[in-house]
Amino acid sequence: MSRFARDHHVIIWEEPVFDAGAEPSLDLSICAKSGVTVAVPHLNPEQGDLHGKQLRRLLDELMATRSGPLVRWYYTPMMLPFSRHLQAECTVYDCMDELKNFKFAPPELLPLEEELLKAADVVFTGGYSLYEAKRERHLNVHAFPSSVDVRHFSQGRSAQADPADQAQLPHPRFGFYGVIDERVDLDLLQAAAEARPDWSFIMVGPVVKISEADLPRLPNIAYLGGKDYQELPAYLSGWDVAMMPFAINEATRFISPTKTPEYLAAGRPVVSTPIKDVIRHYGELDAVQIASNAKDFVAGCERALALKDERDWLRPVDAVLSTMSWDETAAQMKALIVEAAEERKVSTTADNQKPHYDVLVVGAGFAGSVMAERLARDAGKKVLVIDRRPHIAGNAYDLPNEDGILYHLYGPHIFHTNSEEIFSYLSRFTKWRPYEHKVLANVRDKLVPMPINRTTLNMLYGLNLQTDEEAEAYLESRAEPVDEIKTSADVVVSKVGTELYQLFFQGYTRKQWGMDPSELDKSVTSRVPTRTNTDDRYFTDSFQAMPLNGFTAMFASMLDHPNIELRLGVEWEDVAREVSYDKLVFTGPIDEYFGYRYGKLPYRSLRFQHETIDTEVFQPVAVVNYPSEDVPYTRITEYKYLTGQEAPKTSITYEYPSAEGDPYYPIPRPENQALFKRYEALALAEPNVIFVGRLATYRYYNMDQVVGQALATYRRLKAAEEAEMEVMESAALQASASERPALFGTTMSKATARNGSSETAATPAE
Ligand code: FAD
Ligand code: UDP
């Protein structure tokens, strides 16, 4: 960064510091030696900054004072949440460690790294092992194993004043500098020190994440704490051998310790445990001993010590070091950045020639159509709505058959809701036909009301229950108490007992879901109540009605807006290549969106058999359920009841449940929810993609719930956009009020975290 700062303006954005009671502010200082600006955000711990809002405001205020092209440079994906909106000529991900393998790595690191890899134009890795780990994940990855500031460290080859805190330690001395954390093999250090009580083991560096109490305490091990980069050659000069007692674990699998060439530049032989990149780059040198256990480590130290008196081993060391200059590395990196920025310009120009939409909505069902309507009509956005099916309305699609009688292609859809808001919203797009849904169940060759009510009990058992109380007492006599109601079997058995459960629920559910109710979450059968009165409506919601001219007509009216364009029968990935857009609303299956990365989310499907029957009336109500497992279908629907159409013929649909086919029903089970949560974590890291609807949020939602979810999602989106505008306006105001002159012509910003560059104990000036 010092080298980049010669021609550009470099800002290093540090991790925030928390000051009790302080207003959020940014502390800016310019490093006199390098010209690098260091920005340290100060935050108030009481206010917190859960979503990075404060950081974002501070960053925006800073950026408002700068002009010219910008390069975003990330050492850690954790800096993305407050900086992802910055428009840059080039985004660099400079990956120095596999941070996710570190102790206490936060769970959002992985999805954020995923996002960063997508956003980055070029990726640098601090070593070859890391390169191997990342090269499949980005098209423009380049390995930059550690460079070394030979001039600085070669001071260690000549005698320096021994720093006071190591001056008293007897020789031979074996020294290490670096962060002391889970990556150091403390057992090995202890065993080596015990084996050679007359040797001094010197540990320079801060103790991080592990407890001081875990450190081996022996008279011949000295812990000297962290030192400044400038002081390191003096410490090195006082050692006989430098060491890297690294543990071989997940946290060290990809490291490429910068200290190796630094030790060598200071003329110290090195003893290391078998770190892959150390063996790869330095394993051939006599100066570097590799040992995997304490006994071999001590033997390696003996051999390294013996090298002290002969200098031949330094020649090949210097040959290797001569190829590793920071000047060369900086020049190569700069060339790659310029190239990547050019590449981005070319593809952005190509993007600019594509038709542009503010929002691309995938799926023209309830979720997608409500979002599109709100975005177009309320927010004035230009929206493209697409669906892989050749029609709008998603699963609620209805159409006339060859005799002009309406039917629902994906099974019966009956609208009901308790929400005034949802009903009145949809009323903008349709008139209604009042309709209260009735269902009969075919049980023991009788057609009885479903949900189970007093009439059901009387008909089935030849009873004469006259009042709610009598029916309640009857059900209580059958009910079988269940300690904790967890499954869909518990819900029903605890209310009506085993026999009614088996007659009405067990077979139906086994057919519908391909599993026993005892294996399904209680929410499934809880949808169907048990009644003690004679109410034979399937739903009791306050609003029950069907769109007067059908669902498809309602959707057509909803999507009829000059800002909405429709493309049907197309896959979103194909469309995404042909158009550009700022935001994506995705209403398809969330697992599909992420390429089934964690495996498929289970869905239940159906096969519909639609028929036109040459008779005016086929059955006594709209739907007859067939709970018995002897019948392969679950229910038959006759649509005329829903639509009120009059015709000499009638349209009906049989529903055959199936494991294969379109994903219709998310399957409510704890393990499926756990899998969904993993996908949801990925979704949260995609700020420009909004997941809405039954498939995208993996919820067994009715139509009205999806409408409610979409309306709420839109409201949140609008509020976030308004807040964003406010932040931008206030940043612009503050910038112009303070009249700070732009300091530099061009701006290069660098976001860094200490974690990302913690290989040396010193402030990483290089
Ligand atoms: P969908 O309607 O499934 O819409 C998603 C759309 O996205 C689909 O059209 C799909 O083709 C499209 N899509 C997905 N992936 C892609 C892609 N990669 N590229 C392009 N397009 C894509 N609810 C009720 O309230 N009452 C009922 O009576 C009722 N009955 C139902 C009966 C059945 C048989 C079923 C299956 C559901 C029923 N529902 C009912 C639930 C209702 O269907 C849903 O709540 C509602 O349709 C969900 O809307 P959505 O927009 O989330 O999903
Ligand atoms: N159910 C049942 N018997 C019935 C009706 C429903 O066992 O006669 C169970 C079944 O598991 C079903 C669940 O209750 O999946 C919810 O029924 P609902 O009618 O609400 O399902 P929908 O068809 O609306 O998804």
Side-chain angles (χ1 to χ4, degrees):
M1 286 304 144
S2 312
R3 279 155 183 90
F4 289 133
R6 288 174 195 158
D7 303 321
H8 304 280
H9 181 206
V10 178
I11 303 166
I12 298 191
W13 186 277
E14 288 280 355
E15 286 195 57
V17 172
F18 290 91
D19 302 329
E23 274 308 300
S25 65
L26 195 63
D27 178 13
L28 288 177
S29 60
I30 297 177
C31 167
K33 191 162 163 257
S34 65
V36 165
T37 302
V38 180
V40 184
H42 288 251
L43 299 179
N44 185 336
E46 280 119 56
Q47 290 174 5
D49 197 23
L50 202 58
H51 304 292
K53 270 199 184 136
Q54 313 274 21
L55 287 174
R56 180 174 168 168
R57 189 173 61 74
L58 294 173
L59 179 61
D60 285 343
E61 280 170 18
L62 175 67
M63 295 319 292
T65 66
R66 316 281 146 149
S67 59
L70 172 75
V71 174
R72 294 191 296 168
W73 188 301
Y74 289 91
Y75 275 123
T76 166
M78 297 305 289
M79 296 273 177
L80 256 189
F82 62 89
S83 63
R84 54 163 69 99
H85 62 289
L86 289 184
Q87 296 290 324
E89 262 61 24
C90 181
T91 297
V92 180
Y93 176 25
D94 193 354
C95 178
M96 299 295 292
D97 271 302
E98 197 63 299
L99 294 175
K100 71 168 195 294
N101 293 344
F102 278 37
K103 211 169 176 168
F104 308 129
E108 62 272 29
L109 186 77
L110 208 57
L112 283 172
E113 183 182 54
E114 207 59 57
E115 183 188 341
L116 182 53
L117 283 164
K118 254 191 213 156
D121 300 293
V122 60
V123 177
F124 301 144
T125 62
Y128 276 102
S129 295
L130 264 183
Y131 170 76
E132 284 165 354
K134 302 289 169 198
R135 71 176 161 197
E136 302 295 328
R137 299 177 61 198
H138 196 281
L139 291 171
N140 195 15
V141 187
H142 303 269
F144 283 99
S146 315
S147 307
V148 59
D149 188 350
V150 174
R151 192 140 30 99
H152 178 62
F153 283 96
S154 63
Q155 297 172 74
R157 291 194 184 190
S158 47
Q160 307 274 313
D162 212 7
D165 52 357
Q166 74 175 14
Q168 305 308 318
L169 304 174
H171 285 267
R173 295 177 184 163
F174 299 81
F176 165 89
Y177 65 70
V179 172
I180 302 171
D181 61 11
E182 78 274 15
R183 287 173 294 169
V184 173
D185 189 341
L186 298 173
D187 292 339
L188 185 143
L189 175 65
Q190 170 154 8
E194 277 167 357
R196 289 289 184 276
D198 48 332
W199 292 359
S200 299
F201 291 84
I202 301 174
M203 303 293 285
V204 172
V207 178
V208 176
K209 289 185 277 183
I210 59 172
S211 155
E212 292 267 351
D214 294 337
L215 300 176
R217 299 284 172 186
L218 290 170
N220 61 333
I221 306 180
Y223 298 97
L224 305 185
K227 303 293 169 194
D228 197 77
Y229 183 78
Q230 301 306 329
E231 299 175 84
L232 296 178
Y235 280 90
L236 276 161
S237 138
W239 301 347
D240 298 289
V241 170
M243 60 174 179
M244 294 195 290
F246 280 122
I248 302 301
N249 60 23
E250 272 304 296
T252 58
R253 210 169 116 203
F254 298 104
I255 62 172
S256 185
T258 312
K259 57 180 106 332
T260 323
E262 290 172 353
Y263 287 166
L264 292 169
R268 299 303 109 174
V270 178
V271 184
S272 174
T273 46
I275 295 295
K276 202 165 168 194
D277 273 6
V278 174
I279 299 174
R280 189 185 332 236
H281 298 301
Y282 309 100
E284 296 294 307
L285 295 173
D286 287 344
V288 177
Q289 307 289 324
I290 306 291
S292 45
N293 57 43
K295 190 164 152 266
D296 292 351
F297 201 85
V298 171
C301 287
E302 302 265 18
R303 278 197 302 278
L305 205 53
L307 288 179
K308 232 186 113 189
D309 301 326
E310 36 150 325
R311 308 303 281 174
D312 278 359
W313 58 273
L314 271 172
R315 228 176 309 118
V317 163
D318 288 339
V320 170
L321 294 178
S322 69
T323 64
M324 296 177 60
S325 90
W326 280 110
D327 283 333
E328 183 54 28
T329 297
Q332 282 177 18
M333 284 182 165
K334 192 163 167 176
L336 287 166
I337 290 170
V338 170
E339 195 183 298
E342 273 306 311
E343 187 70 25
R344 162 173 282 263
K345 219 187 278 166
V346 171
S347 64
T348 315
T349 315
D351 262 2
N352 287 344
Q353 283 156 2
K354 293 177 180 172
H356 182 79
Y357 298 87
D358 296 318
V359 187
L360 170 61
V361 175
V362 177
F366 269 103
S369 299
V370 171
M371 289 297 291
E373 189 278 335
R374 289 289 72 207
L375 286 161
R377 194 165 281 130
D378 187 60
K381 304 279 185 200
K382 202 171 158 219
V383 183
L384 173 63
V385 179
I386 65 142
D387 205 302
R388 55 160 58 122
R389 290 168 170 169
H391 58 74
I392 56 171
N395 284 342
Y397 177 61
D398 52 17
L399 71 167
N401 67 10
E402 61 277 18
D403 294 293
I405 311 167
L406 211 68
Y407 72 108
H408 296 183
L409 192 61
Y410 306 101
H413 280 68
I414 294 106
F415 186 79
H416 55 103
T417 186
N418 280 316
S419 161
E420 159 93 58
E421 187 209 349
I422 291 167
F423 190 70
S424 74
Y425 169 73
L426 291 176
S427 303
R428 297 179 198 178
F429 314 107
T430 187
K431 291 198 169 71
W432 299 96
R433 166 180 191 268
Y435 169 72
E436 292 190 323
H437 190 45
K438 305 251 164 95
V439 177
L440 295 175
N442 186 320
V443 173
R444 289 186 180 159
D445 294 329
K446 290 194 174 79
L447 289 180
V448 296
M450 181 69 186
I452 295 170
N453 67 8
R454 207 156 75 220
T455 317
T456 315
L457 299 174
N458 285 337
M459 283 178 77
L460 202 60
Y461 295 114
L463 300 168
N464 187 21
L465 305 169
Q466 293 286 341
T467 62
D468 279 18
E469 291 72 28
E470 282 174 35
E472 196 164 329
Y474 181 77
L475 284 177
E476 256 169 39
S477 72
R478 294 189 150 259
E480 294 160 33
V482 174
D483 277 351
E484 194 191 347
I485 295 178
K486 277 201 203 135
T487 71
S488 268
D490 300 338
V491 175
V492 185
V493 172
S494 66
K495 265 198 218 133
V496 300
T498 303
E499 187 178 89
L500 287 165
Y501 158 72
Q502 285 173 340
L503 278 179
F504 286 86
F505 284 91
Q506 191 172 37
Y508 189 105
T509 304
R510 282 184 180 169
K511 287 194 289 185
Q512 172 75 2
W513 296 94
M515 62 184 76
D516 195 78
S518 59
E519 296 169 275
L520 272 172
D521 187 84
K522 63 175 183 234
S523 59
V524 176
T525 52
S526 300
R527 289 164 62 94
V528 185
T530 308
R531 302 197 181 115
T532 49
N533 57 20
T534 54
D535 187 351
D536 63 349
R537 296 171 306 161
Y538 202 66
F539 310 111
T540 51
D541 302 47
S542 36
F543 302 93
Q544 303 191 32
M546 295 294 285
L548 190 61
N549 299 312
F551 284 105
T552 308
M554 181 180 82
F555 276 82
S557 156
M558 202 184 281
L559 294 169
D560 179 20
H561 190 276
N563 281 355
I564 298 179
E565 194 182 312
L566 262 180
R567 286 196 208 174
L568 300 172
V570 290
E571 289 290 330
W572 89 270
E573 273 155 328
D574 296 336
V575 177
R577 273 193 290 275
E578 292 162 20
V579 305
S580 68
Y581 52 89
D582 297 333
K583 277 203 172 11
L584 178 72
V585 170
F586 191 81
T587 76
I590 189 168
D591 52 339
E592 180 192 318
Y593 179 88
F594 290 107
Y596 305 106
R597 190 174 312 166
Y598 301 137
K600 282 198 164 190
L601 276 167
Y603 293 95
R604 191 68 178 158
S605 193
L606 290 170
R607 182 173 65 79
F608 303 102
Q609 186 180 317
H610 305 293
E611 289 185 6
T612 306
I613 309 284
D614 200 358
T615 165
E616 214 174 329
V617 177
F618 176 78
Q619 61 189 26
V621 284
V623 169
V624 175
N625 285 359
Y626 292 83
S628 163
E629 281 183 279
D630 299 337
V631 181
Y633 42 86
T634 48
R635 59 186 180 186
I636 304 176
T637 301
E638 185 170 7
Y639 294 99
K640 275 176 160 181
Y641 290 98
L642 315 181
T643 59
Q645 262 187 305
E646 286 177 17
K649 294 184 185 177
T650 192
S651 57
I652 62 166
T653 297
Y654 293 81
E655 286 173 56
Y656 293 88
S658 124
E660 305 299 322
D662 277 2
Y664 291 133
Y665 292 90
I667 304 178
R669 276 159 66 84
E671 59 267 47
N672 300 349
Q673 197 52 28
L675 180 55
F676 165 69
K677 285 280 164 204
R678 296 182 67 197
Y679 281 112
E680 194 184 34
L682 296 178
L684 287 173
E686 300 256 355
N688 289 323
V689 188
I690 298 130
F691 294 85
V692 205
R694 180 145 148 153
L695 304 169
T697 59
Y698 199 66
R699 288 192 178 91
Y700 182 12
Y701 269 171
N702 291 331
M703 296 181 281
D704 65 320
Q705 292 171 302
V706 172
V707 173
Q709 186 193 40
L711 290 175
T713 305
Y714 172 70
R715 271 196 300 272
R716 270 200 305 277
L717 204 62
K718 190 175 168 183
E721 201 159 283
E722 281 167 2
E724 197 166 302
M725 289 301 291
E726 251 171 54
V727 168
M728 277 160 67
E729 278 162 20
S730 94
L733 264 179
Q734 290 199 14
S736 62
S738 63
E739 284 186 313
R740 270 176 292 192
L743 292 177
F744 302 88
T746 54
T747 305
M748 176 177 279
S749 111
K750 177 188 176 196
T752 180
R754 283 195 195 90
N755 244 0
S757 48
S758 54
E759 269 304 317
T760 67
T763 311
E766 293 286 357

